[in-house]
Amino acid sequence: AQSVAQPEDQVNVAEGNPLTVKCTYSVSGNPYLFWYVQYPNRGLQFLLKYITGDNLVKGSYGFEAEFNKSQTSFHLKKPSALVSDSALYFCAVRGSGGYQKVTFGTGTKLQVIP
Amino acid sequence: GAVVSQHPSWVICKSGTSVKIECRSLDFQATTMFWYRQFPKQSLMLMATSNEGSKATYEQGVEKDKFLINHASLTLSTLTVTSAHPEDSSFYICSAILQGVYGYTFGSGTRLTVV
């Protein structure tokens, strides 16, 4: 069975500092990896995905993520955090091939402190 | 880009009544849609996979008679919470996959409160 782990329930970072939100995964075969952001009482917004190719993936709002196959990780990063980045972030994985189910991590609340 | 519209965004209903939530793909056809439930401070739990023109596939532990899913067209899937009870109060989110695209597009969610 596939799974996603987000080890931190909450990450606090000062505005302007770099941020990292951690994610590790387990899946059979090649992974398709995603990051989504959720604001209060809203649906999920797509940030970025890794399917194949370069391990460093750039996405929306200045976010990027690095795929590390040996460590089965897909950490979300941003060089300089904004207060408006404060939200709930979900990492997700699905296996390749067909319409496979997406498995979500438990989410990490990012709090950017002014 | 692919847009999924979910309606209503919030609803309050009395215990024992039924509530219907709609999920529409606005600019693409979605043969498969997914319904999730999210509890406070928890991740998304997949409830069922909705397939156009056929019966939905429910995840283990999800009551199919309580959460009725209909996917009658390529652009519309509905979730009906029947005989709602306070424990059904939750945030429900639908998503759809655009053929040929690897990611999923999510609706804006529906906050259901049963009183």
Side-chain angles (χ1 to χ4, degrees):
Chain A
Q2 60 194 37
S3 64
V4 177
Q6 292 182 245
E8 303 153 316
D9 290 338
Q10 181 160 336
V11 170
N12 297 321
V13 63
E15 185 178 24
N17 282 3
L19 68 87
T20 298
V21 182
K22 296 180 181 178
C23 170
T24 58
Y25 67 91
S26 174
V27 69
S28 298
N30 295 321
Y32 291 166
L33 295 156
F34 309 88
W35 275 102
Y36 291 89
V37 60
Q38 185 182 33
Y39 296 97
N41 291 312
R42 300 296 300 275
L44 274 65
Q45 295 179 31
F46 172 79
L47 278 180
L48 51 80
K49 67 178 184 285
Y50 172 83
I51 304 300
T52 186
D54 289 342
N55 290 340
L56 184 64
V57 178
K58 294 187 182 298
S60 306
Y61 312 120
F63 284 93
E64 58 188 29
E66 186 166 12
F67 170 61
N68 187 316
K69 188 174 183 178
S70 63
Q71 297 184 3
T72 61
S73 67
F74 190 56
H75 300 331
L76 181 69
K77 299 181 180 183
K78 186 173 182 180
S80 178
L82 300 173
V83 173
S84 57
D85 292 330
S86 298
L88 188 59
Y89 291 81
F90 289 99
C91 180
V93 68
R94 57 161 283 200
S96 57
Y99 289 157
Q100 296 202 18
K101 290 185 289 188
V102 175
T103 298
F104 288 86
T106 51
T108 298
K109 183 179 180 181
L110 173 66
Q111 189 73 42
V112 181
I113 303 164
Chain B
V3 176
V4 172
S5 173
Q6 187 172 342
H7 179 80
S9 56
W10 60 269
V11 58
I12 301 173
C13 70
K14 291 184 177 180
S15 186
T17 62
S18 295
V19 173
K20 179 184 284 187
I21 303 170
E22 294 187 347
C23 182
R24 294 180 183 273
S25 56
L26 294 186
D27 50 0
F28 66 102
Q29 294 181 334
T31 55
T32 303
M33 291 186 176
F34 304 89
W35 287 95
Y36 295 85
R37 182 174 179 176
Q38 185 180 32
F39 293 97
K41 299 183 180 180
Q42 292 191 28
S43 187
L44 282 74
M45 180 191 77
L46 179 64
M47 298 175 65
T49 302
S50 170
N51 300 295
E52 187 270 334
S54 64
K55 292 183 179 180
T57 303
Y58 289 81
E59 296 298 301
Q60 192 172 6
V62 178
E63 299 177 61
K64 60 181 66 176
D65 293 333
K66 181 167 189 63
F67 298 100
L68 300 179
I69 291 173
N70 184 282
H71 195 157
S73 77
L74 287 171
T75 60
L76 175 64
S77 175
T78 61
L79 168 67
T80 301
V81 183
T82 63
S83 187
H85 288 93
E87 57 265 31
D88 298 326
S89 299
S90 192
F91 194 60
Y92 294 87
I93 307 175
C94 68
S95 74
I97 184 168
L98 176 59
Q99 194 170 6
V101 176
Y102 300 100
Y104 290 70
T105 300
F106 288 83
S108 54
T110 298
R111 171 70 61 189
L112 171 63
T113 302
V114 185
V115 298

